[in-house]
Amino acid sequence: MSEFRWGIFGTGAISIKFAAAVAAAPGMKVEFVASRSAQTANDFAGRVGIPKAIEGYAEAARQGGVDAIYIATPPSEHHKHALLCIAAGIPVLVEKPFATSRVEAMEMAGAARDASVFAMEGMWTRFLPASLALKDAIASGRIGVPHLVSGSFGTSKAVDPASGSFDPRRSGGALAHLGVYPLSLAQWLFGSPESLMATGQLGSTGVDEDIAIQLRYPGGVIGSFYTSIRAWAPNDFQVMGTHGMLGFHGPIIRPVGLCAWQCKPIGTPGAGFGLKARIKESSTVHRVAQALGIGTRRSGKVFRHRYRGNGFIHEIEEVVRCVRAGQVESATMPLDDSISVATSVEQVRKIISGSGTSP
């Protein structure tokens, strides 16, 4: 089978990781990198070992010569650059977030479907072994009926107006860069939310810096997520059900396994009530209980599900498989899912900015 050739739009840190994953994979190579500046493209190509540098994204799409293009430009440019490639008949992998609004996402999906050109959002965490194991475990009933899903993704950054995270013109903010992870994972597991509430605050540069979101999914599953670019968070993700809980082992962005807690509901045969419910209310037994940690949540059993390389290879292989099969979209990251998440993001932004209200 012939070598699968990639082009890259953008020269940021994420493009370096992507290029490294392709370089380590058999049967693939990065053919070119494109940037607005010829100097930037040449510097990146020389540093990463890419044979060709192209000035201008429209020119790169016109030249083509690749099987797919990875779009890793700022989120504000995803819509324009994806449409350029799709119009040229080139499949695209668009780094998250897919788009900055529902309208943009629908236009990108519509263009891809109309032209029968593959397009997918680069939500790479969906393709990691731990994430797939989580979805399978929930579907198998391992924790009974899911009732709650929670997650957080936050990191404390010094405010820098020149940084993409803090620049509203490049669609910066906690939601676009971090919050889409729990939103996309929950949408994948439970479907599009039926209702959404949010609160948050804008920073000095005008982007959302801290956000809390609550959602209701089909089947009555309640979601609660936090994201921030000004505060550290556990960077976790858990699904809680009637018979236990499943959570990522490792950070939400790149889990390396699952933690599982399993227990029958209290009051069912064989469930028991635990030592804490049976001990007498005396200071002695409470001192013992505190020393032993009785009544606290024990560590879950860990199941390892390691990813390969730096993790990007899993979504890359999905693109290659779909393109070679003549598919327009991925079953794991379908375009309707990207539209749904873009819709949720837009709703949250309207609430935070004051132009919308929580129901």
Side-chain angles (χ1 to χ4, degrees):
M1 190 174 290
S2 61
E3 198 168 44
F4 195 94
R5 302 159 301 166
W6 283 93
I8 296 177
F9 278 18
T11 57
I14 198 77
S15 294
I16 295 176
K17 295 177 182 178
F18 184 87
V22 173
M28 300 184 213
K29 71 173 180 179
V30 177
E31 191 71 39
F32 71 75
V33 62
S35 179
R36 291 178 301 170
S37 160
Q39 183 65 51
T40 302
N42 278 299
D43 289 347
F44 184 92
R47 187 167 71 254
V48 180
I50 297 173
K52 187 177 181 181
I54 301 176
E55 179 182 10
Y57 301 111
E59 177 60 22
R62 187 192 67 77
Q63 289 188 26
V66 292
D67 300 297
I69 289 178
Y70 172 57
I71 297 174
T73 48
S76 59
E77 308 303 304
H78 289 180
H79 173 258
K80 177 172 64 178
H81 292 159
L83 293 183
L84 272 175
C85 296
I86 291 168
I90 306 171
V92 291
L93 172 62
V94 184
E95 180 56 39
K96 58 78 194 166
F98 188 64
T100 62
S101 68
R102 173 181 172 84
V103 169
E104 283 189 358
M106 291 181 67
E107 287 180 351
M108 293 158 69
R113 288 165 173 164
D114 289 346
S116 295
V117 174
F118 179 83
M120 188 182 91
E121 181 177 9
M123 180 51 68
W124 67 300
T125 302
R126 281 198 185 194
F127 298 92
L128 298 183
S131 300
L132 298 173
L134 174 65
K135 188 175 179 68
D136 288 344
I138 294 169
S140 72
R142 185 165 180 174
I143 58 169
V145 179
H147 278 250
L148 301 171
V149 56
S150 70
S152 66
F153 197 2
T155 184
S156 180
K157 297 184 178 183
V159 177
D160 178 7
S163 165
S165 294
F166 291 93
D167 186 355
R169 294 171 300 177
R170 288 181 280 171
S171 298
L175 197 58
H177 290 266
L178 306 180
V180 289
Y181 282 94
L183 285 173
S184 183
L185 287 169
Q187 193 279 335
W188 179 48
L189 295 172
F190 303 114
S192 298
E194 298 174 337
S195 63
L196 180 154
M197 297 183 292
T199 186
Q201 53 194 10
L202 303 179
S204 59
T205 66
V207 304
D208 51 277
E209 293 186 348
D210 308 290
I211 296 177
I213 311 169
Q214 287 193 319
L215 312 96
R216 184 179 182 90
Y217 294 94
V221 176
I222 303 298
S224 181
F225 307 126
Y226 298 90
T227 186
S228 176
I229 51 175
R230 296 288 286 133
W232 294 107
N235 296 348
D236 55 356
F237 190 81
Q238 301 91 21
V239 178
M240 294 150 270
T242 55
H243 286 66
M245 180 172 75
L246 289 165
F248 279 155
H249 181 62
I252 184 174
I253 190 172
R254 52 171 69 86
V256 297
L258 296 180
C259 290
W261 295 260
Q262 290 180 284
C263 186
K264 292 181 180 180
I266 293 174
T268 59
F273 294 92
L275 179 59
K276 184 182 180 183
R278 296 196 299 269
I279 60 177
K280 294 180 179 180
E281 291 296 318
S282 72
S283 58
T284 300
V285 293
H286 274 275
R287 284 198 299 271
V288 173
Q290 291 179 67
L292 296 177
I294 294 171
T296 62
R297 183 72 67 195
R298 301 295 186 180
S299 297
K301 186 176 181 180
V302 175
F303 298 87
R304 300 284 183 178
H305 297 281
R306 293 185 173 90
Y307 54 80
R308 289 182 284 130
N310 63 9
F312 277 76
I313 188 59
H314 300 283
E315 71 169 2
I316 290 171
E317 288 178 341
E318 173 72 355
V319 175
V320 173
R321 184 191 67 78
C322 289
V323 170
R324 285 179 168 164
Q327 298 175 358
V328 176
E329 52 192 293
S330 163
T332 304
M333 189 69 248
L335 294 169
D336 282 346
D337 282 15
S338 295
I339 294 172
S340 174
V341 174
T343 301
S344 294
V345 168
E346 187 172 54
Q347 289 177 322
V348 172
R349 280 183 169 152
K350 286 181 178 179
I351 294 169
I352 301 305
S353 67
S355 60
T357 58
S358 290

